[in-house]
Structure formats: C-alpha cells, structure tokens
Amino acid sequence: MWQTCLGMVPDCDWWLTNGGGATLISYGQAQGQEVDVAVVPDEHLRWIERLPLLHVDRHRIFVHAGIDPNLSLDEQDSQEVICKIYDDRAQGGHGQRHVVHGHDQHANGPILKKNRTNLDTFAWYTGRLVIGVFDDDMPARPLKFWKRMVSLQERSERLDRDVFSSRHLLHDAPVWC
C-alpha cells in the first residue's frame, strides 16, 4: 500500500483490484471518482514505512510474504520479504524457526506446512479472517486459530458495491496513482 501511495509502484491497478479500492474508500475516497491516493494521510504512510519487515522470536519468524531460507535474516531482500509467493510444495522454514506469513491468498486457508504457516485467507474478499494463536514457549505451528466471518449481509452489501474492482470503483475513469 505505502509503495503505491508514495508513487514507488507506477501501476496501481493490481493493488486496486486486490483490496486497494476498499482501502481507499475506507480513507474517504468516493466511489465513482478518479483514484486519489492522497486520501491516505502521509503520517499513516510514514508509519507503515518505518515498520520492521520481520518479527523474530525464539521459535518463529513473522513476515508479510516470505523469506529466502538460504540467506541470513540480515541479508533478506526487502522485495522478497514483501512480495514472495511460496511454491505450494515448499515446506518453508528458516533454520530451526517456523515461518508465519500471508500475502499468498488461499480462500480455504490457512495453509499449514511442516515449517511454515500461511494465514492469508483472502479476507478482504471472502470475509474470512484467521488469526493464528502461538505459544511463545513451544516451537512450530499455531496451537489453534481464531476465525471471524463477516456476516452475509455485510458481505452482500460489500459485493453489491463491488469496490474491489478498479473499473467499477472508477467507472472506467483513468487511474492516477
């Protein structure tokens, strides 16, 4: 989000159709108007920009998208940390640590592998949010999951608005990102 809103990513169509449209509307963007990323306050973008890309504890690495198991944590490429998509067969992990990530959407998730857990359940679209519950003293995968579903009425209203498509958000207006 912050890369798109700061103009670091020249084409924002992908972001708009993958939850970015809903994000802009949540910040006050009116439906039917040209995309205006300036509705996102600069202080929010700067706060996101300052966040660490990884959180590491004794047993796990929490990351947005993924990490390269062949590099030390200090050598990780920031684009890979933000954008990586794991091969479905990959078991993940980094040394002895379990990797907990999202970014790769699976409506039927979470995806549990031997050494990694993907918590991305396509929540912005499906209405299904999953949170992993971990024990700090125990290695490996989550002990359990908390799930929250958006009500059918909420989801129906959201889909009726169709805010997740830049074409519909903008009514085919040009995209200015």
Side-chain angles (χ1 to χ4, degrees):
M1 173 182 127
W2 94 93
Q3 290 177 320
T4 300
C5 292
L6 291 175
M8 297 164 68
V9 178
D11 178 13
C12 68
D13 282 343
W14 182 89
W15 178 67
L16 288 171
T17 58
N18 283 279
T23 299
L24 292 177
I25 287 172
S26 76
Y27 276 104
Q29 168 78 53
Q31 238 179 309
Q33 293 181 340
E34 290 182 17
V35 169
D36 180 9
V37 296
V39 299
V40 180
D42 189 58
E43 69 183 81
H44 291 198
L45 298 173
R46 298 299 171 202
W47 176 79
I48 291 168
E49 195 172 34
R50 289 189 306 267
L51 292 172
L53 294 178
L54 304 169
H55 174 76
V56 181
D57 69 19
R58 188 168 35 148
H59 301 294
R60 283 167 290 278
I61 301 168
F62 298 87
V63 60
H64 174 72
I67 60 169
D68 184 333
N70 300 312
L71 297 175
S72 73
L73 294 178
D74 292 336
E75 296 174 313
Q76 295 295 315
D77 179 280
S78 61
Q79 282 305 110
E80 179 131 332
V81 169
I82 296 168
C83 299
K84 180 180 178 103
I85 301 284
Y86 282 95
D87 180 295
D88 286 340
R89 297 167 297 193
Q91 294 299 313
H94 187 272
Q96 298 299 312
R97 289 189 172 104
H98 190 83
V99 174
V100 182
H101 68 93
H103 183 70
D104 187 8
Q105 305 168 357
H106 291 273
N108 296 320
I111 305 297
L112 298 171
K113 298 291 185 172
K114 181 178 180 185
N115 297 310
R116 74 178 171 91
T117 299
N118 180 353
L119 294 175
D120 193 332
T121 56
F122 210 20
W124 69 267
Y125 184 76
T126 64
R128 187 168 165 264
L129 178 65
V130 173
I131 299 168
V133 179
F134 299 89
D135 183 330
D136 289 343
D137 295 324
M138 295 179 60
R141 57 176 48 173
L143 299 175
K144 63 181 178 179
F145 296 101
W146 287 348
K147 299 175 187 175
R148 187 207 189 272
M149 287 295 297
V150 173
S151 73
L152 288 176
Q153 180 178 351
E154 288 174 286
R155 188 162 177 245
S156 175
E157 289 170 0
R158 182 183 65 206
L159 292 175
D160 286 346
R161 288 192 316 261
D162 201 13
V163 297
F164 305 105
S165 165
S166 63
R167 289 193 198 335
H168 290 95
L169 173 68
L170 304 172
H171 299 290
D172 297 319
V175 176
W176 303 101
C177 297

